[in-house]
Amino acid sequence: MPSPNRITKIEIFRVPPRWLFVRVETEAGIVGWGEGTLEGHTEAIEGAYQDLRERFIGWDADQIQDIWQHAYRSRFYRGGPVLMSALSGLDIALWDIKGKKHGVPVWQLLGGKVRDRIRVYSWVGGDKPADVLDGAAMRRAQGFTAVKMNATDAVDWIDSPILLQDTVARVREVQSLGLDVGIDFHGRLHKGMAKQLAKALEPLSPFFIEEPLLPTQPEEIADLAKMVSTPIALGERLYSRYDFRPYLEQRAIDIAQPDVAHCGGISELHRLASYTETYDVALAPHCPLGPIALAACMQIDVSAPNFVIQEMSLQMHYNEGADLLTYLVDPTIFAVKNGYVEILTGPGLGIEINESLVRSAAAKHSSERAWRNAVWKGEDGSLREW
């Protein structure tokens, strides 16, 4: 029996623009990187990592499944965005270590590849979409063949249908450049408005509609899915296969979008790929985050038969102070060509993190206020969905 490769250190780094990187080191000197970002709740994640340090330093880093099960099940309360995001970062780092130990990419440990390259998309517009045509032209010049955009600004529970006409016009503009367009409702619309917008967009054949309603509404989303032929996508605010279950059983979605930094890491994303395939649901991992999360997603993308497209945050509107490529030693690893990036072939996650830059950025950023999403209110002063 080989001797255990025990975990000796678990470090976290709060870095711009809004990411939380995890560094795990073993007694053999192998370092793995993970990402446990939970946008807007950084301090809660940092507290969760204090608990994970106390529990898992000294454990064998090779026992990924055992660590995952103990992190998830051994305490009375389980699941949810905070605990699962912290577990995600640790899990990703452990897979990185295992791949480096054996000198192979993680996807080889998951059974090998089923494709040679990965289709990707990025964002146009921002939280309050207006002029998206220039952004779409830039994305096309960068090599993308698909983009995603927010559907609306803040919308009341029931609002003027005129607001929805602008969304349809913007989609037409972007499609005029020959791009596939995913439209993120972002859970901003309630049922009465979401139905109208989904119907209005249907003749344009969008690539998908994302989060047409809040994830608290699986039955209503299932009803909406029966109303339109447009593929329905969601999953960023679902944190395990158990959370996905009602959506799959009610045939509510066509595209699953689990986030590797929220859903339990590579281990759970791998399970979700197979679980969703059982229901003839495609996989398109959510990832408006950093390079570690993207590299982790790509390990599943290359090995999952039902994978269709991968989100990446290159020059996204949230990326202030740093961007997707900032912390990479080799930024060409994510080069986009004809809508695709090449698979990662290096050991572990297949990327090299600039550790000195991460440490210096974290040293400066840790004393600054962590990122928060905007809080929107209507003209009457009532809270609106962001």
Side-chain angles (χ1 to χ4, degrees):
M1 285 286 292
S3 59
N5 185 22
R6 299 192 185 281
I7 297 169
T8 57
K9 190 179 295 185
I10 300 173
E11 298 177 276
I12 56 173
F13 302 94
R14 186 199 299 187
V15 296
R18 54 178 190 163
W19 304 332
L20 195 74
F21 292 170
V22 185
R23 182 185 182 276
V24 178
E25 187 172 346
T26 72
E27 61 187 0
I30 304 174
V31 171
W33 287 90
E35 185 167 347
T37 301
L38 182 61
E39 313 94 284
H41 297 278
T42 301
E43 296 90 342
I45 300 296
E46 290 169 338
Y49 274 110
Q50 179 59 37
D51 175 57
L52 292 178
R53 283 192 199 97
E54 294 173 0
R55 295 166 69 183
F56 295 115
I57 286 180
W59 283 53
D60 184 357
D62 282 336
Q63 304 306 314
I64 298 175
Q65 183 63 236
D66 196 31
I67 290 173
W68 198 100
Q69 293 294 326
H70 276 80
Y72 181 77
R73 295 172 53 209
S74 66
R75 296 285 173 83
F76 183 72
Y77 294 102
R78 61 185 65 174
V82 173
L83 299 179
M84 294 305 289
S85 296
L87 170 54
S88 297
L90 176 60
D91 181 85
I92 293 167
L94 294 176
W95 278 105
D96 192 25
I97 288 169
K98 186 178 282 286
K100 288 173 178 175
K101 178 181 177 181
H102 294 284
V104 297
V106 169
W107 54 260
Q108 286 283 22
L109 301 174
L110 301 177
K113 64 177 183 172
V114 298
R115 55 184 52 85
D116 298 320
R117 58 196 60 85
I118 295 168
R119 193 181 184 198
V120 293
Y121 71 87
S122 196
W123 275 81
V124 294
D127 272 339
K128 297 187 175 184
D131 180 17
V132 295
L133 192 59
D134 289 343
M138 180 189 73
R139 292 304 189 190
R140 186 173 181 183
Q142 290 173 330
F144 290 96
T145 59
V147 296
K148 185 165 77 176
M149 55 187 279
N150 275 315
T152 65
D153 196 337
V155 177
D156 204 351
W157 217 282
I158 296 292
D159 217 323
S160 172
I162 295 173
L163 296 173
L164 308 181
Q165 296 174 10
D166 292 339
T167 304
V168 175
R170 285 193 297 270
V171 173
R172 282 201 182 100
E173 282 187 334
V174 176
Q175 287 180 328
S176 72
L177 299 179
L179 295 167
D180 288 327
V181 185
I183 304 152
D184 191 354
F185 285 32
H186 215 252
R188 289 175 182 169
L189 286 81
H190 293 277
K191 184 172 62 173
M193 298 300 290
K195 290 192 299 182
Q196 293 181 67
L197 184 54
K199 277 286 192 182
L201 289 169
E202 185 177 18
L204 303 184
S205 298
F207 197 35
F208 57 81
I209 288 172
E210 180 173 328
E211 274 200 329
L213 297 171
L214 290 167
T216 52
Q217 311 299 132
E219 293 86 357
E220 289 76 15
I221 292 172
D223 291 341
L224 191 149
K226 294 177 177 67
M227 292 175 52
V228 295
S229 59
T230 308
I232 304 299
L234 59 76
E236 67 191 86
R237 289 189 273 188
L238 304 178
Y239 310 112
S240 71
R241 58 197 182 278
Y242 308 109
D243 290 348
F244 272 88
R245 180 178 175 180
Y247 293 91
L248 297 173
E249 292 183 347
Q250 295 188 50
R251 316 297 191 265
I253 60 173
D254 304 288
I255 304 172
Q257 295 177 308
D259 190 310
V260 74
H262 305 329
C263 76
I266 288 173
S267 294
E268 188 73 351
L269 183 56
H270 181 54
R271 290 188 281 263
L272 276 163
S274 297
Y275 184 33
T276 54
E277 183 190 3
T278 306
Y279 288 84
D280 199 26
V281 169
L283 181 74
H286 181 262
C287 193
L289 303 176
I292 301 170
L294 177 59
C297 287
M298 290 173 66
Q299 307 305 315
I300 308 300
D301 300 343
V302 73
S303 60
N306 55 331
F307 166 78
V308 289
I309 197 164
Q310 175 62 57
E311 180 177 22
M312 62 190 304
S313 71
L314 183 68
Q315 296 175 356
M316 190 180 182
H317 49 285
Y318 298 129
N319 290 357
E320 298 180 359
D323 196 32
L324 177 67
L325 309 179
T326 300
Y327 301 105
L328 294 172
V329 172
D330 178 12
T332 66
I333 203 81
F334 293 141
V336 180
K337 183 177 181 181
N338 298 323
Y340 291 83
V341 296
E342 295 298 316
I343 66 173
L344 302 172
T345 57
L349 295 178
I351 60 173
E352 185 178 354
I353 295 296
N354 185 336
E355 183 173 330
S356 61
L357 180 58
V358 168
R359 290 187 180 277
S360 62
K364 177 181 178 182
H365 193 57
S366 60
S367 61
E368 299 175 355
R369 185 174 183 267
W371 183 87
R372 299 286 191 268
N373 64 258
V375 176
W376 288 353
K377 293 191 175 183
E379 293 181 4
D380 62 356
S382 64
L383 185 66
R384 299 278 178 88
E385 296 292 345
W386 174 78

